[in-house]
Amino acid sequence: MSGGPNLNIYLTHTSNRGLESEIEARHPGALHRLSRHPGIGLVLVRDATGLVCYYRGVALRPPFPPGPTGCPVFDRPDRALVTQSLQELVAMPSAGDVIVFGHYAEKGCVSFLGERGSHAGPSEEDGFIIAPPHVEFDFDSVSGPRDLYPLFIRYQRRPPSNEGESAPS
């Protein structure tokens, strides 16, 4: 299942979550080859301890030693935040057994859908949030989607503001 520059691959021979060792045993070298494709930036899988990121044929596992890793997603100043976010992603029950990102591909940011632009990936660009000027919220503290939950919950709890208008359901 794809969504822009993200592609989830699910193993169908088992109902258990696929681990790197099982994928490697069934398809030797497939993760390395997949990560070397010029239209693919990152390939994420799980091992017994959590996140494994393949980048251009190299498997990277946190915790990373200080200094460059050779992978641009982990050589950013916000390495700890990006690593934590990718660990959370692979731990999600709905995450694929293999998650492919078009971000950081040799050919640029590749979308797996016919769209112009992309979203939902580890970007170095500043994100943005559009909100009416009267909304009071500490937007500077947002570092991930979960940080917005308190804002969205307020919208669920607000009473109707005008006649004929109802609160979002």
Side-chain angles (χ1 to χ4, degrees), residues 39-57:
I40 293 175
L42 308 171
V43 176
L44 306 180
V45 293
R46 299 169 201 82
D47 68 7
T49 61
L51 172 68
V52 180
C53 176
Y54 282 80
Y55 177 71
R56 302 210 175 139

mmCIF file with all atom_site columns, all heavy atoms in Angstrom, residues 39-57:
data_model
loop_
_atom_site.group_PDB
_atom_site.id
_atom_site.type_symbol
_atom_site.label_atom_id
_atom_site.label_alt_id
_atom_site.label_comp_id
_atom_site.label_asym_id
_atom_site.label_entity_id
_atom_site.label_seq_id
_atom_site.pdbx_PDB_ins_code
_atom_site.Cartn_x
_atom_site.Cartn_y
_atom_site.Cartn_z
_atom_site.occupancy
_atom_site.B_iso_or_equiv
_atom_site.pdbx_formal_charge
_atom_site.auth_seq_id
_atom_site.auth_comp_id
_atom_site.auth_asym_id
_atom_site.auth_atom_id
_atom_site.pdbx_PDB_model_num
ATOM 1   N N   . GLY A 1 39 ? 15.521 4.793  -7.295 1.00 0.00 ? 39 GLY A N   1
ATOM 2   C CA  . GLY A 1 39 ? 14.251 5.438  -6.966 1.00 0.00 ? 39 GLY A CA  1
ATOM 3   C C   . GLY A 1 39 ? 13.815 5.220  -5.526 1.00 0.00 ? 39 GLY A C   1
ATOM 4   O O   . GLY A 1 39 ? 12.716 5.590  -5.149 1.00 0.00 ? 39 GLY A O   1
ATOM 5   N N   . ILE A 1 40 ? 14.683 4.613  -4.728 1.00 0.00 ? 40 ILE A N   1
ATOM 6   C CA  . ILE A 1 40 ? 14.357 4.326  -3.323 1.00 0.00 ? 40 ILE A CA  1
ATOM 7   C C   . ILE A 1 40 ? 15.417 4.964  -2.434 1.00 0.00 ? 40 ILE A C   1
ATOM 8   O O   . ILE A 1 40 ? 16.617 4.830  -2.679 1.00 0.00 ? 40 ILE A O   1
ATOM 9   C CB  . ILE A 1 40 ? 14.265 2.809  -3.080 1.00 0.00 ? 40 ILE A CB  1
ATOM 10  C CG1 . ILE A 1 40 ? 13.046 2.270  -3.838 1.00 0.00 ? 40 ILE A CG1 1
ATOM 11  C CG2 . ILE A 1 40 ? 14.210 2.491  -1.593 1.00 0.00 ? 40 ILE A CG2 1
ATOM 12  C CD1 . ILE A 1 40 ? 12.897 0.788  -3.792 1.00 0.00 ? 40 ILE A CD1 1
ATOM 13  N N   . GLY A 1 41 ? 14.955 5.657  -1.405 1.00 0.00 ? 41 GLY A N   1
ATOM 14  C CA  . GLY A 1 41 ? 15.867 6.283  -0.468 1.00 0.00 ? 41 GLY A CA  1
ATOM 15  C C   . GLY A 1 41 ? 16.161 5.414  0.733  1.00 0.00 ? 41 GLY A C   1
ATOM 16  O O   . GLY A 1 41 ? 17.301 5.051  0.986  1.00 0.00 ? 41 GLY A O   1
ATOM 17  N N   . LEU A 1 42 ? 15.131 5.057  1.466  1.00 0.00 ? 42 LEU A N   1
ATOM 18  C CA  . LEU A 1 42 ? 15.285 4.299  2.704  1.00 0.00 ? 42 LEU A CA  1
ATOM 19  C C   . LEU A 1 42 ? 14.404 3.068  2.672  1.00 0.00 ? 42 LEU A C   1
ATOM 20  O O   . LEU A 1 42 ? 13.291 3.104  2.130  1.00 0.00 ? 42 LEU A O   1
ATOM 21  C CB  . LEU A 1 42 ? 14.862 5.136  3.909  1.00 0.00 ? 42 LEU A CB  1
ATOM 22  C CG  . LEU A 1 42 ? 15.472 6.517  4.078  1.00 0.00 ? 42 LEU A CG  1
ATOM 23  C CD1 . LEU A 1 42 ? 14.762 7.268  5.191  1.00 0.00 ? 42 LEU A CD1 1
ATOM 24  C CD2 . LEU A 1 42 ? 16.953 6.406  4.359  1.00 0.00 ? 42 LEU A CD2 1
ATOM 25  N N   . VAL A 1 43 ? 14.875 1.996  3.274  1.00 0.00 ? 43 VAL A N   1
ATOM 26  C CA  . VAL A 1 43 ? 14.085 0.787  3.466  1.00 0.00 ? 43 VAL A CA  1
ATOM 27  C C   . VAL A 1 43 ? 14.132 0.485  4.959  1.00 0.00 ? 43 VAL A C   1
ATOM 28  O O   . VAL A 1 43 ? 15.216 0.280  5.516  1.00 0.00 ? 43 VAL A O   1
ATOM 29  C CB  . VAL A 1 43 ? 14.635 -0.399 2.647  1.00 0.00 ? 43 VAL A CB  1
ATOM 30  C CG1 . VAL A 1 43 ? 13.845 -1.660 2.943  1.00 0.00 ? 43 VAL A CG1 1
ATOM 31  C CG2 . VAL A 1 43 ? 14.611 -0.078 1.158  1.00 0.00 ? 43 VAL A CG2 1
ATOM 32  N N   . LEU A 1 44 ? 12.981 0.492  5.596  1.00 0.00 ? 44 LEU A N   1
ATOM 33  C CA  . LEU A 1 44 ? 12.908 0.242  7.034  1.00 0.00 ? 44 LEU A CA  1
ATOM 34  C C   . LEU A 1 44 ? 12.313 -1.131 7.301  1.00 0.00 ? 44 LEU A C   1
ATOM 35  O O   . LEU A 1 44 ? 11.324 -1.517 6.667  1.00 0.00 ? 44 LEU A O   1
ATOM 36  C CB  . LEU A 1 44 ? 12.033 1.285  7.725  1.00 0.00 ? 44 LEU A CB  1
ATOM 37  C CG  . LEU A 1 44 ? 12.366 2.754  7.507  1.00 0.00 ? 44 LEU A CG  1
ATOM 38  C CD1 . LEU A 1 44 ? 11.388 3.632  8.273  1.00 0.00 ? 44 LEU A CD1 1
ATOM 39  C CD2 . LEU A 1 44 ? 13.791 3.055  7.914  1.00 0.00 ? 44 LEU A CD2 1
ATOM 40  N N   . VAL A 1 45 ? 12.913 -1.855 8.227  1.00 0.00 ? 45 VAL A N   1
ATOM 41  C CA  . VAL A 1 45 ? 12.397 -3.133 8.692  1.00 0.00 ? 45 VAL A CA  1
ATOM 42  C C   . VAL A 1 45 ? 12.635 -3.208 10.196 1.00 0.00 ? 45 VAL A C   1
ATOM 43  O O   . VAL A 1 45 ? 13.229 -2.304 10.790 1.00 0.00 ? 45 VAL A O   1
ATOM 44  C CB  . VAL A 1 45 ? 13.076 -4.328 7.975  1.00 0.00 ? 45 VAL A CB  1
ATOM 45  C CG1 . VAL A 1 45 ? 12.712 -4.369 6.506  1.00 0.00 ? 45 VAL A CG1 1
ATOM 46  C CG2 . VAL A 1 45 ? 14.580 -4.315 8.159  1.00 0.00 ? 45 VAL A CG2 1
ATOM 47  N N   . ARG A 1 46 ? 12.199 -4.300 10.792 1.00 0.00 ? 46 ARG A N   1
ATOM 48  C CA  . ARG A 1 46 ? 12.406 -4.531 12.221 1.00 0.00 ? 46 ARG A CA  1
ATOM 49  C C   . ARG A 1 46 ? 13.340 -5.717 12.408 1.00 0.00 ? 46 ARG A C   1
ATOM 50  O O   . ARG A 1 46 ? 13.290 -6.672 11.634 1.00 0.00 ? 46 ARG A O   1
ATOM 51  C CB  . ARG A 1 46 ? 11.087 -4.909 12.901 1.00 0.00 ? 46 ARG A CB  1
ATOM 52  C CG  . ARG A 1 46 ? 10.021 -3.900 12.839 1.00 0.00 ? 46 ARG A CG  1
ATOM 53  C CD  . ARG A 1 46 ? 8.690  -4.540 13.318 1.00 0.00 ? 46 ARG A CD  1
ATOM 54  N NE  . ARG A 1 46 ? 7.575  -3.790 12.831 1.00 0.00 ? 46 ARG A NE  1
ATOM 55  C CZ  . ARG A 1 46 ? 7.036  -3.890 11.614 1.00 0.00 ? 46 ARG A CZ  1
ATOM 56  N NH1 . ARG A 1 46 ? 7.520  -4.739 10.751 1.00 0.00 ? 46 ARG A NH1 1
ATOM 57  N NH2 . ARG A 1 46 ? 6.024  -3.140 11.260 1.00 0.00 ? 46 ARG A NH2 1
ATOM 58  N N   . ASP A 1 47 ? 14.118 -5.660 13.473 1.00 0.00 ? 47 ASP A N   1
ATOM 59  C CA  . ASP A 1 47 ? 14.806 -6.859 13.946 1.00 0.00 ? 47 ASP A CA  1
ATOM 60  C C   . ASP A 1 47 ? 14.288 -7.111 15.361 1.00 0.00 ? 47 ASP A C   1
ATOM 61  O O   . ASP A 1 47 ? 13.324 -6.465 15.791 1.00 0.00 ? 47 ASP A O   1
ATOM 62  C CB  . ASP A 1 47 ? 16.336 -6.742 13.852 1.00 0.00 ? 47 ASP A CB  1
ATOM 63  C CG  . ASP A 1 47 ? 16.951 -5.734 14.808 1.00 0.00 ? 47 ASP A CG  1
ATOM 64  O OD1 . ASP A 1 47 ? 16.234 -5.175 15.676 1.00 0.00 ? 47 ASP A OD1 1
ATOM 65  O OD2 . ASP A 1 47 ? 18.168 -5.499 14.706 1.00 0.00 ? 47 ASP A OD2 1
ATOM 66  N N   . ALA A 1 48 ? 14.890 -8.019 16.076 1.00 0.00 ? 48 ALA A N   1
ATOM 67  C CA  . ALA A 1 48 ? 14.392 -8.358 17.412 1.00 0.00 ? 48 ALA A CA  1
ATOM 68  C C   . ALA A 1 48 ? 14.427 -7.180 18.374 1.00 0.00 ? 48 ALA A C   1
ATOM 69  O O   . ALA A 1 48 ? 13.677 -7.147 19.350 1.00 0.00 ? 48 ALA A O   1
ATOM 70  C CB  . ALA A 1 48 ? 15.195 -9.528 17.982 1.00 0.00 ? 48 ALA A CB  1
ATOM 71  N N   . THR A 1 49 ? 15.271 -6.171 18.112 1.00 0.00 ? 49 THR A N   1
ATOM 72  C CA  . THR A 1 49 ? 15.371 -5.028 19.022 1.00 0.00 ? 49 THR A CA  1
ATOM 73  C C   . THR A 1 49 ? 14.666 -3.781 18.504 1.00 0.00 ? 49 THR A C   1
ATOM 74  O O   . THR A 1 49 ? 14.521 -2.817 19.231 1.00 0.00 ? 49 THR A O   1
ATOM 75  C CB  . THR A 1 49 ? 16.845 -4.675 19.313 1.00 0.00 ? 49 THR A CB  1
ATOM 76  O OG1 . THR A 1 49 ? 17.490 -4.321 18.089 1.00 0.00 ? 49 THR A OG1 1
ATOM 77  C CG2 . THR A 1 49 ? 17.566 -5.843 19.952 1.00 0.00 ? 49 THR A CG2 1
ATOM 78  N N   . GLY A 1 50 ? 14.242 -3.763 17.250 1.00 0.00 ? 50 GLY A N   1
ATOM 79  C CA  . GLY A 1 50 ? 13.535 -2.592 16.726 1.00 0.00 ? 50 GLY A CA  1
ATOM 80  C C   . GLY A 1 50 ? 13.979 -2.226 15.324 1.00 0.00 ? 50 GLY A C   1
ATOM 81  O O   . GLY A 1 50 ? 14.151 -3.082 14.460 1.00 0.00 ? 50 GLY A O   1
ATOM 82  N N   . LEU A 1 51 ? 14.201 -0.952 15.111 1.00 0.00 ? 51 LEU A N   1
ATOM 83  C CA  . LEU A 1 51 ? 14.454 -0.364 13.803 1.00 0.00 ? 51 LEU A CA  1
ATOM 84  C C   . LEU A 1 51 ? 15.750 -0.821 13.149 1.00 0.00 ? 51 LEU A C   1
ATOM 85  O O   . LEU A 1 51 ? 16.795 -0.866 13.786 1.00 0.00 ? 51 LEU A O   1
ATOM 86  C CB  . LEU A 1 51 ? 14.508 1.170  13.953 1.00 0.00 ? 51 LEU A CB  1
ATOM 87  C CG  . LEU A 1 51 ? 14.945 1.991  12.742 1.00 0.00 ? 51 LEU A CG  1
ATOM 88  C CD1 . LEU A 1 51 ? 13.900 1.923  11.635 1.00 0.00 ? 51 LEU A CD1 1
ATOM 89  C CD2 . LEU A 1 51 ? 15.185 3.435  13.150 1.00 0.00 ? 51 LEU A CD2 1
ATOM 90  N N   . VAL A 1 52 ? 15.642 -1.144 11.855 1.00 0.00 ? 52 VAL A N   1
ATOM 91  C CA  . VAL A 1 52 ? 16.809 -1.321 10.986 1.00 0.00 ? 52 VAL A CA  1
ATOM 92  C C   . VAL A 1 52 ? 16.508 -0.497 9.746  1.00 0.00 ? 52 VAL A C   1
ATOM 93  O O   . VAL A 1 52 ? 15.423 -0.601 9.159  1.00 0.00 ? 52 VAL A O   1
ATOM 94  C CB  . VAL A 1 52 ? 17.043 -2.787 10.580 1.00 0.00 ? 52 VAL A CB  1
ATOM 95  C CG1 . VAL A 1 52 ? 18.267 -2.902 9.678  1.00 0.00 ? 52 VAL A CG1 1
ATOM 96  C CG2 . VAL A 1 52 ? 17.183 -3.683 11.804 1.00 0.00 ? 52 VAL A CG2 1
ATOM 97  N N   . CYS A 1 53 ? 17.445 0.342  9.355  1.00 0.00 ? 53 CYS A N   1
ATOM 98  C CA  . CYS A 1 53 ? 17.283 1.197  8.183  1.00 0.00 ? 53 CYS A CA  1
ATOM 99  C C   . CYS A 1 53 ? 18.347 0.823  7.157  1.00 0.00 ? 53 CYS A C   1
ATOM 100 O O   . CYS A 1 53 ? 19.536 0.874  7.453  1.00 0.00 ? 53 CYS A O   1
ATOM 101 C CB  . CYS A 1 53 ? 17.432 2.669  8.563  1.00 0.00 ? 53 CYS A CB  1
ATOM 102 S SG  . CYS A 1 53 ? 17.367 3.783  7.143  1.00 0.00 ? 53 CYS A SG  1
ATOM 103 N N   . TYR A 1 54 ? 17.885 0.452  5.970  1.00 0.00 ? 54 TYR A N   1
ATOM 104 C CA  . TYR A 1 54 ? 18.810 0.185  4.863  1.00 0.00 ? 54 TYR A CA  1
ATOM 105 C C   . TYR A 1 54 ? 18.895 1.448  4.020  1.00 0.00 ? 54 TYR A C   1
ATOM 106 O O   . TYR A 1 54 ? 17.877 2.011  3.625  1.00 0.00 ? 54 TYR A O   1
ATOM 107 C CB  . TYR A 1 54 ? 18.307 -0.960 3.990  1.00 0.00 ? 54 TYR A CB  1
ATOM 108 C CG  . TYR A 1 54 ? 18.536 -2.319 4.589  1.00 0.00 ? 54 TYR A CG  1
ATOM 109 C CD1 . TYR A 1 54 ? 17.690 -2.819 5.573  1.00 0.00 ? 54 TYR A CD1 1
ATOM 110 C CD2 . TYR A 1 54 ? 19.609 -3.094 4.182  1.00 0.00 ? 54 TYR A CD2 1
ATOM 111 C CE1 . TYR A 1 54 ? 17.899 -4.064 6.121  1.00 0.00 ? 54 TYR A CE1 1
ATOM 112 C CE2 . TYR A 1 54 ? 19.827 -4.349 4.733  1.00 0.00 ? 54 TYR A CE2 1
ATOM 113 C CZ  . TYR A 1 54 ? 18.968 -4.825 5.696  1.00 0.00 ? 54 TYR A CZ  1
ATOM 114 O OH  . TYR A 1 54 ? 19.185 -6.061 6.251  1.00 0.00 ? 54 TYR A OH  1
ATOM 115 N N   . TYR A 1 55 ? 20.112 1.876  3.775  1.00 0.00 ? 55 TYR A N   1
ATOM 116 C CA  . TYR A 1 55 ? 20.348 3.038  2.921  1.00 0.00 ? 55 TYR A CA  1
ATOM 117 C C   . TYR A 1 55 ? 21.473 2.696  1.962  1.00 0.00 ? 55 TYR A C   1
ATOM 118 O O   . TYR A 1 55 ? 22.609 2.458  2.394  1.00 0.00 ? 55 TYR A O   1
ATOM 119 C CB  . TYR A 1 55 ? 20.706 4.266  3.761  1.00 0.00 ? 55 TYR A CB  1
ATOM 120 C CG  . TYR A 1 55 ? 21.040 5.477  2.931  1.00 0.00 ? 55 TYR A CG  1
ATOM 121 C CD1 . TYR A 1 55 ? 20.041 6.154  2.230  1.00 0.00 ? 55 TYR A CD1 1
ATOM 122 C CD2 . TYR A 1 55 ? 22.342 5.926  2.819  1.00 0.00 ? 55 TYR A CD2 1
ATOM 123 C CE1 . TYR A 1 55 ? 20.345 7.259  1.451  1.00 0.00 ? 55 TYR A CE1 1
ATOM 124 C CE2 . TYR A 1 55 ? 22.657 7.030  2.046  1.00 0.00 ? 55 TYR A CE2 1
ATOM 125 C CZ  . TYR A 1 55 ? 21.654 7.686  1.359  1.00 0.00 ? 55 TYR A CZ  1
ATOM 126 O OH  . TYR A 1 55 ? 21.963 8.775  0.574  1.00 0.00 ? 55 TYR A OH  1
ATOM 127 N N   . ARG A 1 56 ? 21.133 2.612  0.697  1.00 0.00 ? 56 ARG A N   1
ATOM 128 C CA  . ARG A 1 56 ? 22.101 2.340  -0.369 1.00 0.00 ? 56 ARG A CA  1
ATOM 129 C C   . ARG A 1 56 ? 22.983 1.126  -0.060 1.00 0.00 ? 56 ARG A C   1
ATOM 130 O O   . ARG A 1 56 ? 24.201 1.153  -0.186 1.00 0.00 ? 56 ARG A O   1
ATOM 131 C CB  . ARG A 1 56 ? 22.927 3.574  -0.661 1.00 0.00 ? 56 ARG A CB  1
ATOM 132 C CG  . ARG A 1 56 ? 22.008 4.731  -1.062 1.00 0.00 ? 56 ARG A CG  1
ATOM 133 C CD  . ARG A 1 56 ? 22.621 5.698  -1.987 1.00 0.00 ? 56 ARG A CD  1
ATOM 134 N NE  . ARG A 1 56 ? 21.587 6.664  -2.378 1.00 0.00 ? 56 ARG A NE  1
ATOM 135 C CZ  . ARG A 1 56 ? 21.797 7.946  -2.494 1.00 0.00 ? 56 ARG A CZ  1
ATOM 136 N NH1 . ARG A 1 56 ? 22.987 8.438  -2.290 1.00 0.00 ? 56 ARG A NH1 1
ATOM 137 N NH2 . ARG A 1 56 ? 20.817 8.735  -2.844 1.00 0.00 ? 56 ARG A NH2 1
ATOM 138 N N   . GLY A 1 57 ? 22.310 0.059  0.381  1.00 0.00 ? 57 GLY A N   1
ATOM 139 C CA  . GLY A 1 57 ? 23.006 -1.206 0.594  1.00 0.00 ? 57 GLY A CA  1
ATOM 140 C C   . GLY A 1 57 ? 23.621 -1.402 1.959  1.00 0.00 ? 57 GLY A C   1
ATOM 141 O O   . GLY A 1 57 ? 24.197 -2.447 2.236  1.00 0.00 ? 57 GLY A O   1
#
